[in-house]
Amino acid sequence: MSDGDSTLSQAADAVEDASNHKALDVLARTGFAVMALLHVIVGAIVIAIAFGHQGDAEPSGAIARLADNPFGTIVMWACVVACLALALWQASEATLRARSLPRKERLAKLVSSGFLAIAYGSVGLSFAGFAVGQPSDSGDNTRDFSAGVMAHPAGPWILVALGLTVLGIGIYFIAKGLRRGFKEELFHFEGTRRGRLVDSLGVTGHVAKGIALVLTGLLFVMAAAKHRPDESTGLDGSLKALQDHPFGPALLVAIGAGFIAYGIFALIRARFGRM
């Protein structure tokens, strides 16, 4: 190994040691708890929509509910720190902590944890927007993004690729739930009665979230096929599109309950899961 490679390796080791610091661990777990709470709120909004009430079934809608209290600004900044810490932890999972894995596993970790790092970071930025008094709407942002992409010659193909990616992630969540792939993240209650309850929450939550992502991905693909970027409305639009179907309200209640189950599972994972 050359002196340059040795120096880079030592630097990477130092950064990895810093990423293992107790403070980051606590903040990242707090970030998981924040994400858990957002899923519970989104689930409650979805169920309310099924019964004809208004609401935005998306992260920005859930954040708006959290911001609507006397300590809203303080809560928003606390959530910013927690979500960005969680994004940083996921980034270290995707890169530094995956260095010793076989190439195939390292690539899979780079894709999965890298995507989560971007997702958690974007949620943190959404919290920051509310904290400084410039809230954003996830549905509007998705429509604007889709319109911008469609303005380019290759736009429809890019939007289809994005839709298929989101759809693939949804299928991954469904498969992960059905095969209980989440158990490697949470083994504290293994073999106990509580463990069976946690397993049920994990299966229900992952499948429900997967179905919602599949619907969102399909909207991207359909918007590209029709050259109608306004139909690409993200999670909120994909769920509200179910309202007009015969079994739509029942399916919305099931998905909403699944989101709540996922939120409760994520909250347990935040406290007892592997970091």
Side-chain angles (χ1 to χ4, degrees), residues 3 12 21 24 29 48 74 104 112 121 133 141 152 198 203 215 218 226 233 258 260 262 271:
D3 290 343
H21 195 278
L24 181 59
R29 288 183 184 277
I74 297 175
K104 187 176 180 180
S112 60
N141 290 342
H152 294 276
V198 172
V203 171
L215 292 173
L218 287 175
K226 297 179 180 179
T233 52
I260 293 173
Y262 184 89
R271 173 63 181 86

Side-chain angles (χ1 to χ4, degrees), residues 229-273:
D230 56 298
E231 293 185 7
S232 176
T233 52
L235 178 63
D236 180 66
S238 64
L239 292 175
K240 287 180 178 176
L242 295 174
Q243 286 179 297
D244 297 330
H245 292 271
F247 299 102
L251 187 55
L252 283 174
V253 170
I255 292 175
F259 265 77
I260 293 173
Y262 184 89
I264 296 172
F265 169 83
L267 190 61
I268 297 171
R269 192 253 185 270
R271 173 63 181 86
F272 299 104

Side-chain angles (χ1 to χ4, degrees), residues 61-255:
I63 294 173
R65 300 291 179 94
L66 285 176
D68 190 20
N69 68 82
F71 303 100
T73 302
I74 297 175
V75 172
M76 293 298 99
W77 282 119
C79 290
V80 169
V81 174
C83 288
L84 293 183
L86 180 55
L88 179 61
W89 180 82
Q90 285 288 0
S92 70
E93 282 276 289
T95 54
L96 299 172
R97 299 178 186 179
R99 288 179 297 159
S100 60
L101 296 175
R103 183 176 180 180
K104 187 176 180 180
E105 293 181 27
R106 189 167 67 247
L107 179 60
K109 195 68 174 175
L110 177 63
V111 172
S112 60
S113 292
F115 172 81
L116 288 174
I118 295 172
Y120 295 144
S122 66
V123 173
L125 293 178
S126 295
F127 274 111
F130 277 85
V132 298
Q134 295 181 343
S136 61
D137 183 277
S138 301
D140 289 342
N141 290 342
T142 303
R143 277 188 291 268
D144 292 343
F145 170 78
S146 298
V149 170
M150 290 287 284
H152 294 276
W157 294 107
I158 295 174
L159 210 59
V160 167
L162 177 60
L164 292 176
T165 300
V166 175
L167 192 151
I169 294 171
I171 294 174
Y172 165 78
F173 265 90
I174 294 173
K176 183 178 180 180
L178 293 177
R179 64 180 177 81
R180 290 171 168 77
F182 53 81
K183 294 186 74 169
E184 62 187 31
E185 303 168 0
L186 184 61
F187 48 81
H188 183 82
F189 301 106
E190 186 69 29
T192 67
R193 183 178 300 176
R194 291 181 180 179
R196 290 192 290 272
L197 175 60
V198 172
D199 279 358
S200 298
L201 290 171
V203 171
T204 303
H206 279 81
V207 170
K209 184 170 181 176
I211 291 173
L213 287 172
V214 166
L215 292 173
T216 302
L218 287 175
L219 276 189
F220 275 112
V221 174
M222 291 171 62
K226 297 179 180 179
H227 291 268
R228 293 283 304 273
D230 56 298
E231 293 185 7
S232 176
T233 52
L235 178 63
D236 180 66
S238 64
L239 292 175
K240 287 180 178 176
L242 295 174
Q243 286 179 297
D244 297 330
H245 292 271
F247 299 102
L251 187 55
L252 283 174
V253 170
I255 292 175

